[in-house]
Amino acid sequence: ALAAGRAVTPAVLGLAASQGITTLSVHRPPTVALLVTGDEVVAPDTPTLAPGQLRDVHTPFLRAATADGDLRLPLRVLPAVADAPGALRAAIADGGRDDVLLLTGGVSRGAHDHVPDTVVACGARIVLHRISLQPGRPLLVARHAGGWIVGMPGNPASVMVTYRCFVRPLLRRLMGFADGFGHGARPAALAEDASPLPPPGPRTRMLPAQIVGSMADEATVRVRPLRPRGSHDIVAWAQADALLWCPSADDAAAGRTGLRALVDSTQIPPS
């Protein structure tokens, strides 16, 4: 009566009851932990920042994102850890007890970016590291016997983009849903009053954008791209309700020039 992968809704429970079925086999929700790295990151309620310090924006964002929509997953937040291999290894071992461990920071190529080597030292196998995406290039994904480790770059925009494009699909797959990179993307076009986009660059680019008009009867999503001043520009990303997927120069050379938009159902504005 029902294919595997369907969400258990009230109607599904009614259908099961009509067939005398009182127990359903479902996917166990994955457990998720978060480890924020870097001793420069301090609590959001810190009243005054010392030179070089940053307030933690990742924990509030990821706590809300993993609890949002059809996920509704609690997030186990580990104590933040400094960029020191010993402390980092102990924290990763702790987070590895969960099905998915999310890390922020420490995945680039700087002198204090110890996450890739430490993940391997903890027994995980790196599946990918560094991708052709802006923002989010240093993304790291690793696999171990007990689950997954996803290391996101430390700047806010990279965390928001890599969460939407990689982490959320991974969590949904672990819950039994069909998902993947770009799943659900819709054809997009610029709003009439939108400024022209910059020419394609070497990497696929994700831009924050606002949806213009109603999406209910439109095959193509009309968007107005926002212009972030960099991966630190939280204001632009907070004003967005879609990600505009812009092709790279290689895509353009191959004739793949179409824009697409990633929109979560919880972000669709009312018509």
Side-chain angles (χ1 to χ4, degrees):
L2 290 169
R6 283 290 300 271
V8 178
T9 63
V12 167
L13 294 177
L15 173 60
S18 74
Q19 303 302 307
I21 300 171
T22 58
T23 302
L24 297 175
S25 296
V26 298
H27 284 266
R28 175 180 63 81
T31 60
V32 190
L34 169 64
L35 175 62
V36 175
T37 71
D39 51 10
E40 75 279 10
V41 182
V42 298
D45 58 357
T46 302
T48 304
L49 299 181
Q53 288 186 329
L54 300 168
R55 290 187 178 92
D56 176 15
V57 302
H58 303 318
T59 299
F61 168 76
L62 290 168
R63 194 194 298 273
T66 53
D68 193 28
D70 53 6
L71 293 180
R72 303 175 190 172
L73 298 173
L75 184 67
R76 184 169 74 98
V77 179
L78 305 176
V81 64
D83 295 309
L88 189 59
R89 181 166 183 169
I92 290 177
D94 180 13
R97 298 187 291 112
D98 290 271
D99 297 312
V100 179
L101 169 62
L102 307 178
L103 294 101
T104 63
V107 292
S108 296
R109 291 181 170 177
H112 300 288
D113 292 323
H114 302 297
V115 167
D117 290 341
T118 307
V119 162
V120 172
C122 289
R125 175 179 60 87
I126 294 178
V127 177
L128 63 86
H129 186 201
R130 298 178 65 82
I131 56 176
S132 183
L133 184 69
Q134 179 186 2
R137 185 178 186 181
L139 178 73
L140 178 145
V141 179
R143 188 81 167 94
H144 59 92
W148 296 86
I149 298 173
V150 182
M152 295 174 281
N155 63 69
S158 291
V159 169
M160 294 176 184
V161 168
T162 53
Y163 173 82
R164 178 62 181 85
C165 294
F166 292 91
V167 176
R168 188 175 186 274
L170 171 62
L171 296 176
R172 281 177 47 81
R173 287 289 294 269
L174 293 174
M175 296 174 72
F177 295 108
D179 213 321
F181 180 81
H183 181 84
R186 295 179 56 171
L190 298 183
E192 293 182 0
D193 60 348
S195 301
L197 292 172
R203 289 176 279 162
T204 299
R205 189 181 321 171
M206 293 289 185
L207 291 175
Q210 293 176 330
I211 298 170
V212 177
S214 171
M215 290 180 52
D217 302 315
E218 297 285 345
T220 299
V221 181
R222 293 283 173 180
V223 296
R224 183 183 299 113
L226 302 172
R227 304 294 179 174
R229 293 171 293 175
S231 295
H232 63 283
D233 189 356
I234 309 173
V235 174
W237 295 90
Q239 293 174 341
D241 43 33
L243 284 181
L244 182 60
W245 183 344
C246 305
S248 67
D250 287 343
D251 290 329
R256 298 185 294 269
T257 59
L259 299 174
R260 285 172 282 179
L262 286 169
V263 183
D264 292 334
S265 59
T266 55
Q267 295 176 320
I268 298 174
S271 58

